[in-house]
Amino acid sequence: MDVEFVPVRGALRSLGWDGDMLLDLAGGGRRWSLDGTEHPTSVDFGRPFDQAVSSPSGRYAVVYGERDTTALVLDGASGLREMGRSSYHAADFDYPVALGRLPDGREILVHCPDEYNVLQIDDLVSGARLTTGDRTPTDVFHSRLSVSPDGRHLLMAGWFWSPFGIARVYDLAEALADSATLDGDGVLPMSPGSDAEVASACWLDGDRLAVATTDEVFDDEEAPNLGPRQLGVWSVSGRQWLARSSVNYPIGTLLPRNAQVISLYEHPRLIDTETGAVVAEWPGVKVAPKDGSFGVTHIPTPWAALDATGTRLAVAQDGGIALIELPPPRP
């Protein structure tokens, strides 16, 4: 598994793929061919955005400041509308935003535009609010949002005061019928009083999600579900853990790859989710040691992305981008 280096002039602000080209969307849409040829842009957002997320169709995107309060919805390279979030502790946790597609084909924007603890769902194209009605939010800081590939569920990996990281999964059909369900515990069987702290989580497919924990436990009780320093795979339809493995290393940020995940903490690791075994790792490719979505000292989320085939991993480095060739993904 080879590692190549694509030199880049100037600082990156985000990293993704556009077909076979590398893309810095938050940086105005700069692109690079894999031979290092840059395709510059004249777009200047006028804001120090440092993260980006794209819609399933690829037409729309949101660029935002990870620890800021401002963001911009894009239609291609053009600004569609501005959006924001509450300034309450905004400097202490990652901006909550996700784009997804409902089963009926509508693309949606999930965010917290008014309060840190109130999730809202908007129609991505029109900006119309789809969640209405009375709300009874609890003191939870929503962060690291992601919509399942089938558009049926929303994953949140945020935190509450101690601070302590948690994960929740919400049924989107229920949320659109009664937005107050987004203020509850969701469908993931985790009680913050007895489980280990969640570091990160990601969807593996429309049913399975991977959840990684730190070595922190909220109290002295034995964890009945996912214990400290474990990697688990949960089935939403089966309402059970399909796998739980102990790991002896921090997981950090997760990127899904079928039955495997890419772990980004100090360097990339390719991990088997059934066993927790490290299939391959690249110590020479450095990434930030970030474990969780919050912290008074901001450690930026690593800029890394898998291509559509899941066989090429791009990771931002000083002065360029590391390209890692991966074996074909396992089902």
Side-chain angles (χ1 to χ4, degrees):
M1 291 174 281
D2 297 330
V3 179
E4 299 181 0
F5 189 79
V6 178
V8 170
R9 292 182 298 174
L12 289 167
R13 293 188 176 274
S14 64
L15 184 58
W17 290 87
D18 181 13
D20 287 329
M21 300 185 71
L22 296 161
L23 171 66
D24 178 7
L25 196 55
R30 290 193 299 165
R31 289 171 169 79
W32 296 268
S33 300
L34 299 187
D35 63 3
T37 301
E38 181 176 351
H39 304 265
T41 178
S42 60
V43 176
D44 183 0
F45 297 128
R47 301 279 182 85
F49 299 130
D50 57 12
Q51 294 289 344
V53 59
S54 297
S55 71
S57 69
R59 174 174 174 175
Y60 303 97
V62 173
V63 291
Y64 60 97
E66 186 167 65
R67 293 293 176 93
D68 202 350
T69 59
T70 58
L72 182 65
V73 182
L74 303 178
D75 180 355
S78 302
L80 191 61
R81 62 183 177 275
E82 292 187 354
M83 53 182 270
R85 65 160 165 165
S86 167
S87 61
Y88 184 65
H89 283 285
D92 299 332
F93 71 105
D94 297 347
Y95 198 118
V97 60
L99 304 182
R101 178 188 283 138
L102 296 174
D104 64 9
R106 285 179 295 170
E107 291 196 300
I108 57 171
L109 164 67
V110 188
H111 60 146
C112 297
D114 304 311
E115 302 292 339
Y116 68 95
N117 57 347
V118 180
L119 288 163
Q120 301 285 10
I121 304 173
D122 296 348
D123 181 276
L124 176 57
V125 179
S126 68
R129 182 64 40 83
L130 302 179
T131 41
T132 57
D134 295 334
R135 304 293 293 269
T136 54
T138 55
D139 195 20
V140 170
F141 292 79
H142 296 296
S143 192
R144 292 196 173 183
L145 308 178
S146 60
V147 177
S148 61
D150 62 4
R152 298 184 183 277
H153 292 90
L154 171 70
L155 171 63
M156 186 280 292
W159 59 290
F160 70 97
W161 275 113
S162 276
F164 192 82
I166 59 172
R168 288 181 175 174
V169 174
Y170 301 98
D171 185 300
L172 286 173
E174 292 182 359
L176 293 174
D178 179 6
S179 61
T181 62
L182 293 171
D183 302 327
D185 293 334
V187 300
L188 188 64
M190 286 188 170
S191 170
S194 59
D195 290 329
E197 180 184 43
V198 172
S200 56
C202 68
W203 292 104
L204 300 177
D205 53 34
D207 181 63
R208 300 174 300 161
L209 62 143
V211 183
T213 60
T214 72
D215 55 8
E216 297 292 329
V217 177
F218 189 64
D219 56 27
D220 294 331
E221 296 181 26
E222 181 181 355
N225 293 312
L226 198 63
R229 195 59 74 193
Q230 287 192 334
L231 176 65
V233 178
W234 173 259
S235 168
V236 175
S237 63
R239 297 188 63 81
Q240 64 178 333
W241 292 105
L242 302 178
R244 284 178 291 177
S245 305
S246 296
V247 294
N248 60 1
Y249 48 84
I251 292 289
T253 303
L254 288 175
L255 298 179
R257 191 176 184 259
N258 290 8
Q260 299 172 326
V261 289
I262 302 290
S263 162
L264 298 168
Y265 188 94
E266 294 185 336
H267 64 268
R269 297 176 176 90
L270 180 61
I271 302 173
D272 186 293
T273 56
E274 292 183 3
T275 64
V278 177
V279 178
E281 58 185 319
W282 298 270
V285 179
K286 303 301 182 182
V287 297
K290 181 172 184 174
D291 209 3
S293 62
F294 58 91
V296 175
T297 300
H298 179 215
I299 301 175
T301 299
W303 293 321
L306 282 165
D307 72 350
T309 69
T311 60
R312 292 181 296 190
L313 174 66
V315 184
Q317 301 286 278
D318 289 340
I321 302 168
L323 287 178
I324 301 173
E325 290 291 333
L326 305 174
R330 189 168 64 83

